[in-house]
Amino acid sequence: MSVKTKEIQSKLTSEEVLDILKEGNQRFVQNNFHSRNLLAQVEQTSAGQFPIAVVISCIDSRVPTELVFDQGIGDVFCVRVAGNVINQDVLGSVEFACKVAGVKLIVVMGHTSCGAVKGACNNVELGNLTGLLDKIKPAISIVSNRGVAADDSRFVDEVALENVQLSLDTILHDSPVIKEMVDNKEVLCAKGMYSVQTGKVELNLL
């Protein structure tokens, strides 16, 4: 597989990028990866990069972004933080990816059995982690108000999915740069949910 070039990046639509990620995940689930010479891709991207998407996901070791979407070197920006929460540094990274580097799609991807979400649900307090988990708690309130009980087996995953939506809302609310690009259809947003049980990503445009 060749690396993404400026020409390839510029011609792709946001919808086409979404399809590329969906198809890549299908290959991952089927264990049918594209053949890549990664060292050759290192050389080919050494003078520049033209990724097609930026993916904000959790640090969970079971969710390696490029692998689950079967992407190569130079294909996607990966922003990883526990609970895929949004802060100023994440926003700045996404603004760079979109406005400077030309990506066409912003993906926020949560996952099942998320430890950060479980920690927020259990009111864990630990150093700087406490403030991070506080960012997830609005999603807990929304799911609780929806009538899902905290002891329901679906609760943690429902909170994780709601947290993805709130993260996307935060990006659009707190970044006028991204909001303008989305309004102008220069970039689209998508919400993703990865199953640590199956490897499948449910991925849909916002």
Side-chain angles (χ1 to χ4, degrees):
M1 288 292 294
S2 59
V3 300
K4 300 295 186 292
T5 63
K6 185 173 184 179
E7 182 181 15
I8 291 172
Q9 183 201 56
S10 63
K11 287 183 177 180
L12 284 170
T13 66
S14 301
E15 291 86 354
E16 287 171 335
V17 173
L18 183 78
D19 287 339
I20 287 171
L21 296 184
K22 286 183 175 181
E23 291 163 5
N25 180 244
Q26 186 173 9
R27 291 193 301 273
F28 173 74
V29 172
Q30 295 171 345
N31 199 31
N32 184 31
F33 297 94
H34 276 325
S35 177
R36 291 183 174 87
N37 184 331
L38 294 178
L39 285 180
Q41 290 191 337
V42 169
E43 181 180 356
Q44 291 163 5
T45 57
S46 61
Q49 58 173 339
F50 303 98
I52 58 175
V54 54
V55 182
I56 302 104
S57 61
C58 185
I59 64 169
D60 195 292
S61 63
R62 299 166 295 178
V63 196
T65 308
E66 289 95 342
L67 286 179
V68 304
F69 288 118
D70 189 25
Q71 297 301 300
I73 291 172
D75 289 342
V76 292
F77 281 118
C78 301
V79 182
R80 298 186 66 176
V81 57
N84 43 271
V85 300
I86 307 301
N87 60 26
Q88 192 171 18
D89 297 321
V90 171
L91 286 173
S93 298
V94 175
E95 289 171 352
F96 170 80
C98 296
K99 196 68 174 179
V100 180
V103 307
K104 301 296 183 69
L105 185 70
I106 300 167
V107 178
V108 176
M109 183 171 67
H111 66 94
T112 61
S113 303
C114 180
V117 171
K118 290 178 182 176
C121 291
N122 293 328
N123 292 307
V124 169
E125 294 187 0
L126 176 65
N128 292 293
L129 180 62
T130 305
L132 185 152
L133 297 182
D134 284 343
K135 291 181 169 64
I136 300 173
K137 291 186 176 180
I140 298 174
S141 297
I142 291 172
V143 174
S144 296
N145 291 336
R146 204 181 284 154
V148 183
D151 59 356
D152 191 309
S153 60
R154 301 171 298 159
F155 190 79
V156 168
D157 291 349
E158 288 287 325
V159 172
L161 183 58
E162 191 61 48
N163 185 53
V164 168
Q165 180 65 56
L166 291 179
S167 291
L168 282 166
D169 292 345
T170 299
I171 291 171
L172 295 174
H173 181 270
D174 291 357
S175 174
V177 172
I178 299 301
K179 180 66 165 57
E180 182 180 26
M181 294 187 75
V182 170
D183 288 345
N184 293 335
K185 308 298 184 186
E186 298 172 71
V187 63
L188 294 180
C189 297
K191 54 195 298 187
M193 191 70 175
Y194 175 83
S195 170
V196 299
Q197 291 80 20
T198 67
K200 175 70 176 173
V201 178
E202 294 295 334
L203 190 60
N204 298 288
L205 288 175
L206 189 63

